[in-house]
Amino acid sequence: MADDKKLTTRAADFGAWYNETVLRAELADYSPVRGCMVIRPRGYGIWERMQSRLDTMFKDTGHQNAYFPLLIPESFLHKEAEHVEGFAPEVAVVTHGGGKKLEEPLVIRPTSETIIYAMFAKWIQSYRDLPLLINQWANVVRWEMRTRLFLRTLEFLWQEGHTAHATEAEAEEEARKMLGVYRDFMEGWMAMPVVTGIKTNSERFAGALRTYSCEAMMQDNKALQAGTSHNLGQNFARAFEVKYQTENGDTEFAWNTSWGVSTRLIGGLVMTHGDDFGLRVPPFLAPIELVIVPIWRSDEDKARVMEAARKICADLSGWERRKTGKLRVHLDDREGMKPGAKYYEWELRGIPLRLEFGPRDLDANQCVLVRRDNRVKRTVTLDSIGEDVAELLSVMQTDMRVAAYERREANSLRGDITYERFREVMAGDGAFVYAGFCGSEACEQSIKEETKATIRVLPDEEFRSADAPVTCLKCGGESVNEALWAKAY
Ligand SMILES: [Zn+2]
């Protein structure tokens, strides 16, 4: 049904705007179970395109897909001390099955390190079995207390890569490589720029040696942890006896990595690109890239306009691009709905391009293309419509990325900043603040308690400031690392 009530604006209430956009663009809906969500076809269509692209990127880097069970023996979780401590509070446990109490409770996977490395221990014997590069597309359950559609739900969809290597250097290279794959995907396909870097110990994945992350800035200046990649060291290999025989005949523990992104990315896409008219989907990920809205008044006009519309739709649907395949076109031929109401609806749903035309346009062999990102209209001839649409979509993909990048940089603070000023910024509009950090957990903890901001990452070199502060934001001691601070989802 057409619902033409205006959205809450982002400036008035960003959280309310987000929920309304997700619900009214029909990406997701609330479920009968508190904290779970239903992903609707328009949201799932975006996820399928994300999946398909990422899956290709994983396979191009040598990974294979497999599937491991949803249920994990509870004892497995206890084998790695930090891991169980990190995940125990959010684990759902199955105690009964088939009407009987189970001898050993089973946990519903919150992540699959334990069961996957238990299997790796069976499959890996020799250095010839390494590296083992596996990815799984799955759902996981984490019993979260405060939930938000896509951003934090009890159950979510994701992929988890799990690999085993002969040396620490190879595991490190893998963890870094997959962080780069995520970054390429987020920037190239989601048009969502990210800052990459390493997490401090307090934000590290439970059981990892090192955690790397891609952090994106949302339009309320908060950070979204969009993807993480972990060098697990030999922690899980020791716990699950993942050993291999070296070329010399010695026995060594393998080195592992794990890395994941989830349906949370859809929330990131909404909060990076949406505007007060609703969703804006980058063309590469849009299940529909172009919608055709024919306009007519008389029945006579209707017949010839519809005929032309079907022809344009068929022509454009056959248009093939190198990177993104066949053009995804939809013809809105619904009767009894005014063009204006259709425009409103497709804008809300974030369809990148709208093609409108009526009898007069047809006489002039032209149509009007309207971009969703900046709402600019352009009249084009029907002779070169395929070229024009393909070009416009590719320009929009770039423009959306550049706009998001410029917004992030305009809301980033670098250089010397007093702690007082930092507190004001975090209590106000928020920002990405690059500040000096002495490396002490005490400073990190007290800043977090006083401002709710956290260290998102110690940024990789290319993101660090040329004139990074030499003293710690909090204690004034010598800075050992520049740290990226922000409030986060
Ligand atoms: Zn300090």
Side-chain angles (χ1 to χ4, degrees), residues 438 443 472 475:
C438 66
C443 280
C472 175
C475 69

Side-chain angles (χ1 to χ4, degrees), residues 52-90:
S52 149
R53 180 59 199 163
L54 284 165
D55 201 61
T56 301
M57 294 171 94
F58 298 156
K59 285 174 181 157
D60 286 349
T61 42
H63 303 86
Q64 290 180 299
N65 285 333
Y67 186 77
F68 297 82
L70 171 76
L71 299 173
I72 300 175
E74 193 179 39
S75 58
F76 278 31
L77 225 59
H78 291 273
K79 288 193 181 184
E80 211 290 330
E82 271 189 39
H83 192 66
V84 68
E85 199 186 310
F87 280 99
E90 21 184 84

Side-chain angles (χ1 to χ4, degrees), residues 16-144:
W17 167 85
Y18 173 78
N19 284 337
E20 286 173 29
T21 300
V22 167
L23 293 169
R24 288 180 52 193
E26 300 177 348
L27 300 182
D29 207 344
Y30 295 110
S31 91
V33 178
R34 187 201 65 83
C36 291
M37 72 169 173
V38 177
I39 306 177
R40 300 184 67 178
R42 291 185 198 288
Y44 203 79
I46 294 173
W47 178 240
E48 282 179 314
R49 292 199 56 77
M50 288 179 162
Q51 260 191 318
S52 149
R53 180 59 199 163
L54 284 165
D55 201 61
T56 301
M57 294 171 94
F58 298 156
K59 285 174 181 157
D60 286 349
T61 42
H63 303 86
Q64 290 180 299
N65 285 333
Y67 186 77
F68 297 82
L70 171 76
L71 299 173
I72 300 175
E74 193 179 39
S75 58
F76 278 31
L77 225 59
H78 291 273
K79 288 193 181 184
E80 211 290 330
E82 271 189 39
H83 192 66
V84 68
E85 199 186 310
F87 280 99
E90 21 184 84
V91 161
V93 186
V94 178
T95 55
H96 290 72
K100 285 192 202 136
K101 189 165 187 284
L102 302 176
E103 269 176 43
E104 182 185 353
L106 302 170
V107 303
I108 301 179
R109 64 180 161 219
T111 178
S112 304
E113 274 75 7
T114 57
I115 191 151
I116 290 181
Y117 299 130
M119 299 311 296
F120 276 18
K122 284 174 72 175
W123 300 339
I124 296 169
Q125 271 95 44
S126 135
Y127 68 94
R128 289 187 204 88
D129 301 323
L130 298 173
L132 182 56
L133 309 173
I134 296 291
N135 176 61
Q136 142 162 292
W137 290 97
N139 57 344
V140 288
V141 168
R142 296 179 186 176
W143 217 262
E144 303 275 2

Side-chain angles (χ1 to χ4, degrees), residues 147-363:
T147 56
R148 298 279 309 270
L149 292 166
F150 287 114
L151 302 174
R152 186 165 273 116
T153 48
L154 292 199
E155 179 188 1
F156 57 87
L157 304 182
W158 78 344
Q159 60 69 219
E160 45 183 323
H162 292 275
T163 67
H165 305 265
T167 65
E168 178 173 18
E170 282 175 37
E172 182 67 14
E173 191 193 333
E174 167 79 6
R176 275 292 183 179
K177 181 197 286 173
M178 299 321 288
L179 189 78
V181 165
Y182 287 156
R183 181 185 175 187
D184 289 348
F185 171 75
M186 289 167 194
E187 300 193 340
W189 285 67
M190 294 179 68
M192 182 177 82
V194 294
V195 176
T196 59
I198 189 168
K199 290 280 185 188
T200 59
N201 289 348
S202 71
E203 301 274 331
R204 198 178 57 195
F205 176 76
L209 198 60
R210 286 186 280 278
T211 290
Y212 301 103
S213 175
C214 293
E215 301 281 329
M217 183 193 273
M218 304 295 101
Q219 287 183 69
D220 57 355
N221 294 344
K222 282 193 192 169
L224 183 80
Q225 180 177 299
T228 48
S229 181
H230 318 289
N231 180 339
L232 300 173
Q234 292 176 310
N235 294 341
F236 287 90
R238 286 178 198 281
F240 290 90
E241 308 251 313
V242 186
K243 291 184 203 163
Y244 72 97
Q245 203 160 60
T246 66
E247 270 189 270
N248 309 327
D250 303 332
T251 303
E252 294 267 7
F253 286 109
W255 297 80
N256 298 113
T257 80
S258 68
W259 28 275
V261 295
S262 71
T263 36
R264 172 172 244 225
L265 289 179
I266 298 174
L269 185 147
V270 174
M271 290 195 292
T272 298
H273 299 299
D275 67 10
D276 292 345
F277 300 99
L279 190 61
R280 290 191 293 185
V281 187
F284 285 10
L285 293 175
I288 299 172
E289 292 170 285
L290 175 133
V291 62
I292 301 172
V293 182
I295 305 161
W296 68 81
R297 284 220 178 79
S298 69
D299 280 351
E300 188 198 339
D301 283 344
K302 180 188 164 189
R304 66 191 191 103
V305 166
M306 278 308 299
E307 191 197 333
R310 283 191 207 98
K311 186 177 178 309
I312 294 170
C313 185
D315 287 352
L316 287 178
S317 302
W319 196 269
E320 179 91 32
R321 279 96 29 98
R322 186 175 54 83
K323 224 173 155 185
T324 50
K326 283 220 164 84
L327 200 61
R328 298 177 295 281
V329 187
H330 175 73
L331 172 59
D332 186 352
D333 57 1
R334 284 175 294 178
E335 308 253 358
M337 195 173 173
K338 290 210 167 86
K342 292 183 177 179
Y343 300 165
Y344 177 86
E345 202 178 88
W346 293 115
E347 282 196 339
L348 182 61
R349 293 171 182 166
I351 307 308
L353 266 186
R354 186 172 79 229
L355 186 156
E356 332 167 345
F357 77 104
R360 265 185 231 160
D361 295 310
L362 202 53
D363 292 339

Side-chain angles (χ1 to χ4, degrees), residues 436-444 446-447 471-479:
F437 177 49
C438 66
S440 96
E441 240 165 79
C443 280
E444 188 180 0
S446 61
I447 294 178
T471 56
C472 175
L473 170 68
K474 178 70 176 157
C475 69
E478 190 190 340
S479 170

